[in-house]
Amino acid sequence: MVARMVTAAPHRFSDEQRHGVYRAIYERRDIRSRFVPEPLPDDVLSRILDAAHHAPSVGLMQPWEFIVIADAGVRGGVREAFDAANRRAAGAYVGERRDLYDRLKLEAIVESAVNVCVTCDPTIVRGHGLGRQTMPETALYSTVCAIQNCWLAARAEGVGVGWISILDLDAIRRILAIPTHVVVVGYLCLGYVSAFDPEPELATRGWEDRVPLAEKLHFDRYGVADAARAHALAQLSETAGRGR
Amino acid sequence: MVARMVTAAPHRFSDEQRHGVYRAIYERRDIRSRFVPEPLPDDVLSRILDAAHHAPSVGLMQPWEFIVIADAGVRGGVREAFDAANRRAAGAYVGERRDLYDRLKLEAIVESAVNVCVTCDPTIVRGHGLGRQTMPETALYSTVCAIQNCWLAARAEGVGVGWISILDLDAIRRILAIPTHVVVVGYLCLGYVSAFDPEPELATRGWEDRVPLAEKLHFDRYGVADAARAHALAQLSETAGRGR
């Protein structure tokens, strides 16, 4: 094969399109408290779901399923399941941390426009097992990629998404009639919002801080941190414009 | 709280930015055979890694680590580990399917510009366990979201990414000195490419077909397919422009 020199990255998006991608990534938020009582138009929901459906999947397995949940009775049941799980989860915290936990709003099951439960059937033959013999967990990972696509497409549409993980999965399975061989990967609340906060709520409320990128970088082997190089590399995205 | 009417989705991106997001989602490919021998500039790598680092994470846990692998010796070792795992994986196929498998190029470890191994440390305290008592797997899922962010940002930069899942994880762990409590989530090959194919290679080569979105939709409960409604909803994203 003849080596081709790539000059100025010919397949790179236009600045404005690239800015859109980075905006979606940086301005995406996990929404729980800012949903407005506005329905989500079907065409917008359809585009968001189709974006999810075009995630990468191991062996082109496409193991995901999307349960679109509008029914108030079903949502009420899920909300009750959340409340029970959340009471148990809160019990793990004491003192100031418990006070902080109790002030966090951690779901929007009933007041969001629509819920979407994303499941994975790791037993399907589709994909013919390619890549799954060594890493069977990649079926689940593919489904998570679908959720992240959904989240980013939603942000571009001005739609907020909250991923609820404080759930009793047995209860969810019962309420949504999900067979035992199907894995519940994510339970999402979607809808228009009054605002997208500039930073994650867990950061502004003092639950947890952002880690600098430089602290996440290793070179050639795990634990080879090379602080100067990591800092220099991380610095480039800050100064070269991350699209904000 | 006073209900606010949202007219025309005020937080929606401009058409061009929105198009950028959908382009990244629809034109992202799992690249194995189209890398060109061109280095990846540090500023581009930095933006891609920072995009990954801005993934959602449960409790703002940020459990991911990125091992940036340029060293030829390390990559050679990983390539050998791939070859061994791939020989074992190939043994699962017979006849035409085996011929097809043997014709697939499934890695680009040595010829891509750089490799990035993305790991997850599910044992860290950061995030204070929020959301992980009920679903501890969300630490891994957060790390997968980081990989999908990386993949989409790379596409916007004109950079291809291939996710290699045919690997002996014990060998990878040994080669990259990854501690036993740290999970190897994804091994990625990154670099500029000669082309992004219009469709996934596994589809054009006949390994597997795309499933229509309508077949993935359930309403209110699993198994409630409502074919007419599913078809109508799925149709909207096709006609209303998915940004291709």
Side-chain angles (χ1 to χ4, degrees):
Chain A
M1 198 164 85
V2 178
R4 292 175 50 166
M5 291 303 286
V6 177
T7 48
H11 303 292
R12 185 164 70 183
F13 290 3
S14 70
D15 285 351
E16 195 59 12
Q17 289 180 2
R18 215 159 51 97
H19 184 57
V21 174
Y22 284 115
R23 268 195 77 189
I25 286 169
Y26 287 114
E27 299 181 14
R28 178 207 52 74
R29 289 289 165 267
D30 200 343
I31 305 284
R32 282 95 198 273
S33 57
R34 299 202 180 280
F35 286 107
V36 295
E38 184 86 1
L40 195 60
D42 271 354
D43 64 321
V44 177
L45 178 61
S46 182
R47 286 197 295 272
I48 293 170
L49 291 171
D50 198 56
H53 181 49
H54 281 74
S57 64
V58 61
L60 208 58
M61 183 192 187
Q62 307 158 78
W64 44 72
E65 302 284 334
F66 306 106
I67 314 173
V68 178
I69 305 160
D71 184 81
V74 172
R75 290 214 253 176
V78 173
R79 171 64 197 265
E80 281 174 29
F82 168 86
D83 286 340
N86 196 40
R87 275 192 299 272
R88 285 194 297 275
Y93 304 103
V94 293
E96 277 184 39
R97 182 63 56 177
R98 171 61 187 263
D99 293 343
L100 186 48
Y101 186 89
D102 288 342
R103 283 197 302 272
L104 295 173
K105 180 164 166 34
L106 296 169
E107 60 77 38
I109 296 159
V110 171
E111 72 267 32
S112 56
V114 69
N115 296 178
V116 175
C117 182
V118 185
T119 64
C120 173
D121 185 346
T123 70
I124 58 174
V125 176
R126 197 183 311 116
H128 303 276
L130 180 71
R132 278 187 283 149
Q133 297 178 52
T134 39
M135 292 186 71
E137 63 271 36
T138 47
L140 294 170
Y141 293 174
S142 302
T143 307
V144 174
C145 288
I147 293 176
Q148 183 64 359
N149 269 8
C150 160
W151 219 331
L152 295 173
R155 180 62 193 88
E157 299 281 359
V159 171
V161 173
W163 180 336
I164 316 299
S165 60
I166 302 168
L167 286 172
D168 175 343
L169 293 186
D170 290 335
I172 296 302
R173 194 179 286 288
R174 199 171 56 244
I175 295 165
L176 301 181
I178 297 170
T180 50
H181 68 281
V182 173
V183 180
V184 177
V185 177
Y187 193 95
L188 313 176
C189 301
L190 283 81
Y192 288 118
V193 298
S194 57
F196 286 90
D197 291 333
E199 291 294 329
E201 204 177 335
L202 292 179
T204 49
R205 285 180 176 256
W207 184 265
E208 194 48 87
D209 295 326
R210 283 256 192 223
V211 179
L213 172 61
E215 293 179 20
K216 294 296 192 176
L217 301 179
H218 308 238
F219 296 97
D220 292 319
R221 286 176 190 82
Y222 194 93
V224 181
D226 193 341
R229 187 169 165 205
H231 186 76
L233 185 58
Q235 192 71 23
L236 285 170
S237 65
E238 283 159 32
T239 54
R242 41 167 62 155
R244 302 214 219 204
Chain B
M1 197 164 84
V2 178
R4 292 173 51 166
M5 291 304 285
V6 176
T7 49
H11 304 290
R12 185 164 69 183
F13 289 3
S14 71
D15 285 352
E16 196 59 13
Q17 290 180 1
R18 212 159 53 97
H19 185 55
V21 174
Y22 284 115
R23 269 194 77 189
I25 287 169
Y26 288 113
E27 298 180 15
R28 179 207 52 76
R29 288 289 165 266
D30 200 344
I31 306 284
R32 281 99 198 271
S33 57
R34 298 202 181 280
F35 286 106
V36 295
E38 184 86 0
L40 196 60
D42 272 354
D43 64 320
V44 177
L45 178 61
S46 181
R47 286 197 296 272
I48 292 170
L49 291 170
D50 199 56
H53 182 49
H54 281 74
S57 64
V58 61
L60 208 58
M61 182 191 188
Q62 307 157 79
W64 45 71
E65 302 284 335
F66 307 105
I67 314 174
V68 178
I69 305 160
D71 185 82
V74 172
R75 290 214 252 175
V78 174
R79 171 65 196 266
E80 281 173 28
F82 168 86
D83 286 339
N86 196 39
R87 275 193 298 273
R88 285 193 297 275
Y93 304 103
V94 292
E96 276 183 42
R97 181 62 57 177
R98 171 62 188 262
D99 294 342
L100 186 48
Y101 186 88
D102 287 342
R103 283 197 301 275
L104 295 172
K105 179 163 165 38
L106 296 169
E107 60 76 39
I109 295 160
V110 171
E111 73 266 33
S112 55
V114 68
N115 296 178
V116 176
C117 181
V118 185
T119 64
C120 172
D121 185 348
T123 69
I124 58 173
V125 175
R126 199 184 309 118
H128 303 276
L130 180 71
R132 278 187 284 151
Q133 297 179 51
T134 39
M135 291 185 74
E137 63 272 35
T138 47
L140 294 171
Y141 293 175
S142 302
T143 307
V144 175
C145 288
I147 292 176
Q148 183 63 359
N149 269 10
C150 159
W151 219 332
L152 296 172
R155 180 62 194 89
E157 299 281 359
V159 171
V161 174
W163 179 338
I164 316 299
S165 62
I166 302 169
L167 286 172
D168 174 344
L169 293 187
D170 289 335
I172 296 302
R173 192 180 287 288
R174 199 172 55 245
I175 296 164
L176 301 180
I178 298 170
T180 49
H181 68 280
V182 173
V183 181
V184 177
V185 177
Y187 193 94
L188 313 177
C189 302
L190 283 81
Y192 287 118
V193 299
S194 57
F196 286 90
D197 290 334
E199 291 295 329
E201 204 177 335
L202 292 179
T204 47
R205 283 178 176 258
W207 183 265
E208 194 49 88
D209 295 325
R210 284 257 192 222
V211 179
L213 172 62
E215 292 179 21
K216 293 295 192 176
L217 301 179
H218 308 238
F219 296 98
D220 291 321
R221 286 176 191 82
Y222 194 94
V224 181
D226 193 341
R229 189 171 163 203
H231 185 77
L233 185 58
Q235 192 72 22
L236 287 171
S237 65
E238 284 159 32
T239 54
R242 39 166 67 156
R244 302 213 220 207

